[in-house]
Amino acid sequence: MYPSYMHESLKLVEQTRPARLKIAREKGRSKIFPSMTAEEREDVLHKFHPDYKKDAKHAVRIGPNAGEEITTEVADILESWPRINPDTFEPMLKKPDMETDVLVVGGGSAGASAALLAEQTGARVLLVTKLRLGDSNSVMAQGGIQAAVNPQDSPVRHYLDVMGGGHFDNKPELVEALAMDAPLVVEWLTELGVMFDRLPDGKLKTRHGGGTSRTRMLSCKDYTGSGILRVLRDEIECRNERIRVMDFTPAVELLMDAEGRVAGAIVQNFETDEYFIVRAKAVVMATGGLGRLHTQGFPTTNHYGATCDGVVLGYRAGAKMLYMDSVQYHPTGAVYPEQILGFLVTEKVRGLGGQPVNKEGNLFVFPLEPRDVEASAFIRECLERNNGIATPSGQQGIWLDSPIIEELEKPGTIERELPAMVRQFKRFGIDITKEPMLVYPTLHFQNGGLDVNAQCETNIPGLYAAGEVQGGTHGRNRLMGNSQLEITVFGRRAGKFAAEYALALKKELPLNLDHVRAFSKEVQKLGIDRSRVSPILLPDYIPSHIKEKQMTSHYLGTVRG
Amino acid sequence: MSKKQEQVSVFIMGKKFMVPAASTIMSALEYSGFQLKRGVGCREGFCGACATVYRLKDDFKIRTGLACQTVVQEGMLIAQIPFVPAVKPVYDISKLEPTITIFKQLYPETFRCLGCNTCSKACPQDIRVMDYINAVERGDLAKAAELSYDCIRCGMCALRCPAEIGQFNVAILAQRLYGSCLAPKSKEMIERVEQIRKGQFNEEMAAIKATDKAALKKMYYERDIEPGESV
């Protein structure tokens, strides 16, 4: 239920709706508002995108990307002490607790796909994950997955859309893999039993997303990520002879051998605080993104575990990063009610014809610009033009007119296509089939990550990366539906190539932690306080009035040590 | 913390804490100093990690909910469920026949359903759990898959079920069988996959990959956009 002071603005949204509906019907939905030119995009991004704010970036001072400007909060966790003391662990390295061919770190769809393909390639697989198998940003994805399956579309068109969305900074070989593998991934997922939305004749339902020139957004209602990952997880559980899963077991450091190859990891039982040495011939990093770093104080759509751990571990082992200066703010995060602040409102709402309008009920931007452009336009509308709607807690928001969907398509569409959204708002007394949602950009995605090639290899032998933790696929801006695609396409590739590498590896050399020791020396030189530790593993939501009373001698990141 | 903020008392596993009245159960736990590892996940109602049972003041009923989606109330008694044990057989989905027989073999307890509907009442997603279990009993896997689709596997149905059915695992089997065997196939997708395997796009892809940034930019801004009003 919206507070009474918003009613006047809500009335205006209703009053302008018939005219907006008429334009959409007569001119077509792609013509309801002019899309921006290249120059206009550039301008709004520079002036309003959070990445361009002063202090948003800092030059990282140590490691392979030293001297490069990256997101400030990321620089901070890179310039941090390790959680473990290498000298304490050195004697344990001679007797690994577990051995495997491929170690997968992370339990989202990238990690799950990697585990399945590595197993299929003939490798023994150990999958460790900080929370439960399936706990990830993957499971939260709502709107869809892109794949050029329609006759009027092609992987080449998909390639062009991705490059344009990323402002042409994307790594071409990754985009090629993404677009060309997409239909193959959809075939694979279908064979495993994912229920994509279909028409009665079997044709896959496709819609537009921001920045698509053809309708190629496939979906599983608005539970797309869950619909995919639940199947991958079930399949892993069915192959438990050769894929061992350890829940609540984060990796806290990588292990290397004398030839500078990654050769395993130290993992921690998150509940008993035991540490285990895992020797692996290859490691696939599939740890996801960074939302829980709350860059620039933004709320986030991300899972509790999204703390950038994989970038930290890989970087310490010498892996290069790409585009870690770029964070995606999703245009439509909920701002009201307060309990769901920052929660994702899927782009599918706009894909179905939903319109963002200001406090006067007027459209001010084409609804499906690429995400960074759309988000910047929302911020401009609120901060520069003063056309936002203030919430009781002092946030600003834009109306996302969802009820118009029922008239553009047909009554019942919202209930059928957006059950998660309906449920989310209904819990707080808002019926999105009748009232708009109040939204504002929210921290959503790590655009950059570990630099990999199309085989998911980093510059360190034995270390692979797949999914949100990898950088380069999206340039500095991802389009909707390409993350579900990235995690499955590159998860599969990482699993396959890591397994092939592992199975061909003959000689196993003694393990060491020299890289951690060397990195710590650099951290010491910078004079970093001992309390600053990474990977942080969990975000810190304990209020200060509790901490004052805890009298704990020290914290390891947010987890008490 | 501002003193003005309205507070309520809640009982976390029996122990009393004062928390802001607008808190969800999850934020109330964190406000009280609990660092969550189990019982927390996506925090937006998609992952099913935070299944919680609670009682309200002066009410005998045991209620169920997701901690991230349920707002606290004065006098609420709260306990989180860290894990739900359930039967999970191993199978090769590509070798299963999509019929009732397979459920009789893998999940015979499904057919013990008493029809009490406690599962549906316990579901924080308002899924008609009993109806999809009944659909499986009739062998209507399409219906079972459809009715169960919004399941996030929090496990509350299985914990409350007097027949000890593991509904959420039955649901995923029905969904996978429907998705892989029963759903009509997409001719367009099959054809596209064939084209890619035959290398039909390789040349064009190599060409666009070799295109310089300026030319690519021109192609991008001049490309036509499919109207795609509805499907």
Side-chain angles (χ1 to χ4, degrees):
Chain A
M1 249 171 332
Y2 290 109
S4 54
Y5 76 86
M6 290 185 193
H7 290 177
E8 200 182 323
S9 180
L10 278 165
K11 274 253 154 58
L12 292 173
V13 177
E14 277 174 29
Q15 280 168 15
T16 57
R17 191 174 295 140
R20 288 184 283 113
L21 195 59
K22 194 161 166 250
I23 297 173
R25 278 187 182 139
E26 286 172 5
K27 288 197 192 167
R29 282 185 220 171
S30 57
K31 302 260 162 50
I32 55 166
F33 200 90
S35 40
M36 290 190 210
T37 62
E39 294 71 34
E40 285 168 336
R41 281 186 181 182
E42 197 83 349
D43 179 66
V44 75
L45 286 173
H46 274 88
K47 287 189 184 145
F48 295 99
H49 194 279
D51 275 352
Y52 291 91
K53 258 184 134 174
K54 194 174 162 281
D55 294 334
K57 297 169 200 173
H58 271 89
V60 62
R61 292 171 289 178
I62 47 178
N65 291 65
E68 198 180 308
E69 295 246 307
I70 61 168
T71 303
T72 301
E73 291 80 358
V74 176
D76 286 348
I77 57 164
L78 292 178
E79 295 174 355
S80 291
W81 291 93
R83 305 183 73 83
I84 55 129
N85 179 351
D87 296 335
T88 317
F89 278 82
E90 203 73 52
M92 292 164 64
L93 301 183
K94 290 193 188 74
K95 278 185 252 140
D97 299 284
M98 286 159 245
E99 296 198 36
T100 186
D101 296 324
V102 176
L103 170 67
V104 177
V105 184
S109 285
S113 302
L116 290 171
L117 263 288
E119 187 267 347
Q120 207 169 299
T121 310
R124 294 169 301 158
V125 181
L126 173 63
L127 186 152
V128 296
T129 183
K130 181 164 60 184
L131 298 163
R132 305 167 308 161
L133 176 61
D135 272 324
S136 57
N137 285 338
S138 315
V139 80
M140 309 169 72
Q142 299 168 21
I145 176 167
Q146 287 200 37
V149 292
N150 286 336
Q152 71 273 25
D153 196 4
S154 88
V156 183
R157 269 207 159 259
H158 189 175
Y159 178 95
L160 184 61
D161 286 347
V162 177
M163 294 298 289
H167 311 295
F168 309 95
D169 291 329
N170 324 48
K171 241 176 135 164
E173 65 172 309
L174 300 184
V175 184
E176 177 188 21
L178 186 80
M180 292 285 252
D181 279 10
L184 310 181
V185 159
V186 172
E187 181 194 44
W188 179 63
L189 293 173
T190 304
E191 280 168 5
L192 287 173
V194 173
M195 288 168 53
F196 290 108
D197 295 332
R198 291 161 196 275
L199 297 172
D201 67 353
K203 188 176 193 298
L204 293 159
K205 278 195 196 178
T206 53
R207 293 182 185 277
H208 270 303
T212 54
S213 66
R214 291 289 181 270
T215 56
R216 74 170 74 90
M217 194 69 60
L218 315 185
S219 56
C220 313
K221 300 208 274 182
D222 58 351
Y223 284 102
T224 307
S226 160
I228 292 172
L229 186 44
R230 69 178 69 159
V231 168
L232 297 178
R233 177 175 50 199
D234 193 63
E235 185 61 18
I236 284 181
E237 287 169 357
C238 288
R239 298 193 203 170
N240 61 3
E241 292 273 307
R242 289 179 57 84
I243 303 176
R244 179 175 174 195
V245 176
M246 290 172 71
D247 283 349
F248 295 95
T249 308
V252 296
E253 215 62 75
L254 288 171
L255 295 166
M256 298 190 80
D257 71 14
E259 283 183 10
R261 302 180 298 205
V262 163
I266 300 178
V267 303
Q268 178 188 3
N269 181 324
F270 222 8
E271 293 173 310
T272 62
D273 286 336
E274 290 165 280
Y275 289 86
F276 300 111
I277 308 298
V278 180
R279 178 186 262 288
K281 291 174 183 159
V283 175
V284 176
M285 202 55 89
T287 47
L290 57 54
R292 293 284 157 187
L293 299 185
H294 295 289
T295 54
Q296 295 185 48
F298 267 83
T300 184
T301 60
N302 281 194
H303 193 279
Y304 187 54
T307 51
C308 206
D309 303 347
V311 172
V312 172
L313 298 193
Y315 194 70
R316 235 172 239 165
K320 290 194 190 111
M321 306 181 296
L322 185 63
Y323 301 144
M324 277 308 282
D325 58 347
S326 166
V327 172
Q328 177 164 87
Y329 297 87
H330 192 291
T332 56
V335 280
Y336 188 85
E338 210 180 324
Q339 289 92 347
I340 62 170
L341 178 69
F343 285 22
L344 181 64
V345 174
T346 173
E347 192 165 313
K348 193 177 177 187
V349 175
R350 284 172 287 139
L352 288 163
Q355 299 181 350
V357 295
N358 61 21
K359 68 175 177 191
E360 311 290 348
N362 294 325
L363 263 165
F364 56 90
V365 62
F366 178 63
L368 287 170
E369 293 284 2
R371 280 180 176 169
D372 53 352
V373 175
E374 188 83 9
S376 302
F378 282 20
I379 296 174
R380 175 174 68 190
E381 195 65 17
C382 291
L383 301 188
E384 189 184 63
R385 299 178 178 167
N386 261 322
N387 279 333
I389 299 91
T391 71
S393 60
Q395 305 272 336
Q396 290 277 317
I398 290 292
W399 293 119
L400 180 57
D401 186 4
S402 46
I404 197 170
I405 295 170
E406 298 283 275
E407 299 185 53
L408 267 174
E409 301 252 332
K410 52 184 171 232
T413 302
I414 294 179
E415 197 89 41
R416 188 184 70 242
E417 299 284 340
L418 302 164
M421 285 294 92
V422 170
R423 190 172 278 130
Q424 184 75 268
F425 281 85
K426 198 173 128 196
R427 281 174 178 138
F428 298 97
I430 294 169
D431 179 355
I432 66 165
T433 64
K434 297 197 173 69
E435 289 178 304
M437 293 168 260
L438 199 56
V439 297
Y440 194 76
T442 176
L443 169 52
H444 189 54
F445 186 77
Q446 172 184 310
N447 285 319
L450 297 176
D451 192 359
V452 292
N453 60 19
Q455 285 77 46
C456 297
E457 295 165 329
T458 65
N459 55 309
I460 306 297
L463 181 62
Y464 295 73
E468 193 170 347
V469 72
Q470 80 182 71
T473 318
H474 314 290
R476 290 188 172 85
N477 181 54
R478 176 175 66 76
L479 299 180
M480 170 192 182
N482 282 339
S483 62
Q484 283 297 301
L485 186 57
E486 179 180 45
I487 56 187
T488 41
V489 163
F490 292 101
R492 276 160 48 93
R493 283 174 169 252
K496 175 175 178 285
F497 292 112
E500 284 173 1
Y501 165 90
L503 294 172
L505 202 69
K506 294 281 177 290
K507 195 170 47 168
E508 286 195 281
L509 300 169
L511 302 169
N512 71 64
L513 282 162
D514 295 349
H515 62 292
V516 178
R517 223 173 263 118
F519 201 90
S520 299
K521 269 199 191 127
E522 297 290 314
V523 174
Q524 186 161 25
K525 271 192 221 154
L526 295 179
I528 303 289
D529 191 275
R530 283 273 170 185
S531 66
R532 211 162 91 191
V533 168
S534 70
I536 66 168
L537 301 182
L538 293 176
D540 185 358
Y541 298 138
I542 307 282
S544 54
H545 73 270
I546 300 282
K547 277 196 181 147
E548 282 162 21
K549 294 280 181 196
Q550 285 178 325
M551 313 300 279
T552 310
S553 59
H554 69 291
Y555 276 78
L556 284 179
T558 63
V559 182
R560 257 167 284 163
Chain B
M1 256 357 269
S2 129
K3 288 253 165 64
K4 283 177 216 144
Q5 202 171 11
E6 195 195 335
Q7 301 234 327
V8 295
S9 52
V10 296
F11 297 83
I12 300 171
M13 293 176 280
K15 202 188 242 176
K16 184 176 173 179
F17 292 89
M18 298 298 292
V19 299
S23 310
T24 58
I25 291 175
M26 184 167 290
S27 56
L29 286 160
E30 288 174 335
Y31 181 86
S32 305
F34 290 81
Q35 184 174 48
L36 302 176
K37 285 180 185 167
R38 287 198 188 256
V40 59
C42 74
R43 309 172 73 100
E44 293 188 22
F46 284 88
C47 80
C50 63
T52 302
V53 291
Y54 62 93
R55 273 202 166 116
L56 299 176
K57 200 175 171 186
D58 304 326
D59 185 354
F60 65 89
K61 269 179 95 165
I62 285 197
R63 295 166 193 267
T64 55
L66 300 174
C68 72
Q69 300 287 309
T70 310
V71 178
V72 294
Q73 294 180 46
E74 171 63 36
M76 200 181 219
L77 271 159
I78 299 162
Q80 282 202 289
I81 309 293
F83 180 79
V84 177
V87 172
K88 174 69 186 88
V90 165
Y91 42 76
D92 180 346
I93 196 79
S94 67
K95 298 209 171 88
L96 301 186
E97 289 285 324
T99 62
I100 191 169
T101 317
I102 199 68
F103 288 87
K104 284 183 176 161
Q105 285 165 9
L106 295 176
Y107 294 111
E109 63 280 6
T110 309
F111 301 85
R112 296 176 6 136
C113 174
L114 307 169
C116 69
N117 208 29
T118 308
C119 49
S120 307
K121 288 182 205 153
C123 179
Q125 295 282 85
D126 298 324
I127 294 169
R128 288 151 53 196
V129 184
M130 186 183 78
D131 292 2
Y132 82 67
I133 289 297
N134 294 161
V136 169
E137 288 180 296
R138 292 193 307 273
D140 187 350
L141 301 191
K143 192 81 197 161
E146 183 205 323
L147 286 176
S148 66
Y149 205 70
D150 296 358
C151 171
I152 54 173
R153 299 170 61 90
C154 71
M156 294 308 316
C157 49
L159 279 185
R160 299 289 279 154
C161 178
E164 283 129 351
I165 301 167
Q167 290 88 342
F168 56 96
N169 280 340
V170 175
I172 183 74
L173 179 57
Q175 291 170 20
R176 290 190 67 185
L177 287 171
Y178 179 78
S180 61
C181 304
L182 298 171
K185 302 272 180 276
S186 161
K187 288 192 286 291
E188 296 81 5
M189 184 194 69
I190 293 166
E191 200 182 309
R192 179 52 44 82
V193 165
E194 238 169 68
Q195 291 169 339
I196 290 173
R197 293 222 166 97
K198 276 194 293 195
Q200 194 173 311
F201 300 101
N202 292 359
E203 217 171 290
E204 212 187 327
M205 185 61 88
I208 199 169
K209 260 178 81 190
T211 309
D212 68 53
K213 201 165 164 174
L216 201 61
K217 217 169 178 172
K218 190 158 176 291
M219 278 172 78
Y220 177 75
Y221 282 100
E222 283 173 0
R223 78 207 197 288
D224 67 306
I225 311 279
E226 178 187 358
E229 301 300 85
S230 61
V231 285

